[in-house]
Amino acid sequence: MFDKVLIANRGEIAVRINRACQELGISTVAIHSEADTQSMHVRIADESVCIGPNPVNKSYLNAHAIISACEITGAQAVHPGYGFLSENASFAKMLEDHKLTFIGPKSNHIEMMGDKIEAKKIMKDYGVPTVPGSEGNVKNETDAINSSLTIGFPVLLKASAGGGGRGMKVVNNEKELKKTLPILKQEALSFFGNDSIYIEKFIDSPRHIEVQVICDSHGNYLHLHERDCSVQRRNQKVIEEALAPDISDEKKQKLFEICVNAMEKMGYLGLGTLEFLFDGEEFYFMEMNTRLQVEHPITEMLTRVDLVREQICVASGDKIFTSQENIKPLGHSIECRINAENPINFKPSVGKILMYHPPAGNGIRLDTFIYSGYTVPHYYDNLLAKLIVTGRTRNHAIKRAIRSLNEIVIDGIETNIELHKKILSNKEFKSGGVAINWLESNIKNL
Ligand code: MV4
């Protein structure tokens, strides 16, 4: 096991990783920008290094400064958290070259899954169900038309270099395709510097279901069931839950077997998430995240497996402490992402937190880095806290989440706490299984 780990992140996830390290007896190094001197992750780490000014490319994305900080402090491994350098294959490779351990998968797997077309091809080869579509980029208009006719309209044109929902257009027929293709190509060229386009069957109003996996270097490939992340707005998840309501166990088990099998064929190492669209019948692979995810705590609460602890252990060469038979989900878990934002226009809110009081009690977890008197800077993500609750049943978890949101006090800045209460009290949400477009269609009259 490592003696010392550098945490290449900030905010709630840096705090979360620091906790896992210290519980493993690992000494921690926080890195921070000038604006983050007073941040919680710096205060609780065993050591800290200021690695640069506030803009992320000068600090949290500065690979050379991070490697220097490892050398100065004697850290043997780097935990990248999520975002920032967590899915940067060349950063993982740089660490490997410096004999430092990247706490994550091997750099070649990050690279393979980073190319969305490549990832889809690989998964399809491994027997994972994918959305019917063009095999790779379309060459020209004729190729695009032929592909679309084979797939069947409506189809979705996707920019190969796009991501996070940008660079996509639905077309309903050949005429629309002819009109839209050159427009999307032009946009893709100016946004991403690459005009390659591929085509998929458009899945209308699906749910977003993802499968958590963990793999070690001793031939163990396990799944930790699924999460339902359909409640989202502009590609930002708002509420996640586990397990996914209203999908049969049989269907889920088949999917888990396929996922674990694909991981074994890849020889994958570490934590991973396979994202799927679910149309009520079938699952379709979208992409694989090769990192720890924001919503990992709902899986932790449900399975009682400490994912960050296991992630560190498998990166250091240890075996996963448990087996598939011993991973048993219990009850229902819900996460509410509490953001600093204006409730009307959703713009990030910044300023000083005058008063903070967390909720507590049975089945409650609050992952955060805020404290009374902390000033939220404008340079970074506006996620303030994650409220994670478990209950015996889904209804119980919903009630418990509302109760917790009523207890929490965050004064001085604007938050989306009221939005969460409205969602959790909504009849359609309560009935379970809403689609990815539900929140945006209903947000005005919740
Ligand atoms: C889709 C889709 C429907 N049909 N692909 C959005 C982000 C990118 N990773 C994939 N995305 C989608 N791909 C087909 N063939 C709908 C979406 C989509 C979406 C997916 C998951 C969660 C939220 C979403 C919001 C808008 C669109």
Side-chain angles (χ1 to χ4, degrees), residues 131 156 158 165 200-201 203 208 232 235 277 286-287 436:
V131 188
L156 191 60
K158 290 188 172 183
E200 284 183 352
K201 174 89 193 152
I203 312 296
H208 172 150
Q232 59 92 38
N235 288 296
L277 295 175
M286 273 197 300
E287 46 194 78
I436 58 172

Side-chain angles (χ1 to χ4, degrees), residues 27 42 123 131 180 357:
S27 166
V42 177
M123 290 301 170
V131 188
T180 308
H357 182 78

Side-chain angles (χ1 to χ4, degrees), residues 39 115 175 179 202 218 225 359 365 384 404:
S39 271
D115 179 332
K175 190 175 161 222
K179 201 180 98 191
F202 173 59
H218 301 269
H225 300 262
R365 167 172 170 184
L384 287 181
S404 308

Side-chain angles (χ1 to χ4, degrees), residues 107-119:
S107 60
N108 62 313
H109 286 149
I110 303 174
E111 197 170 346
M112 281 158 66
M113 294 301 119
D115 179 332
K116 304 306 164 201
I117 296 182
E118 178 77 3

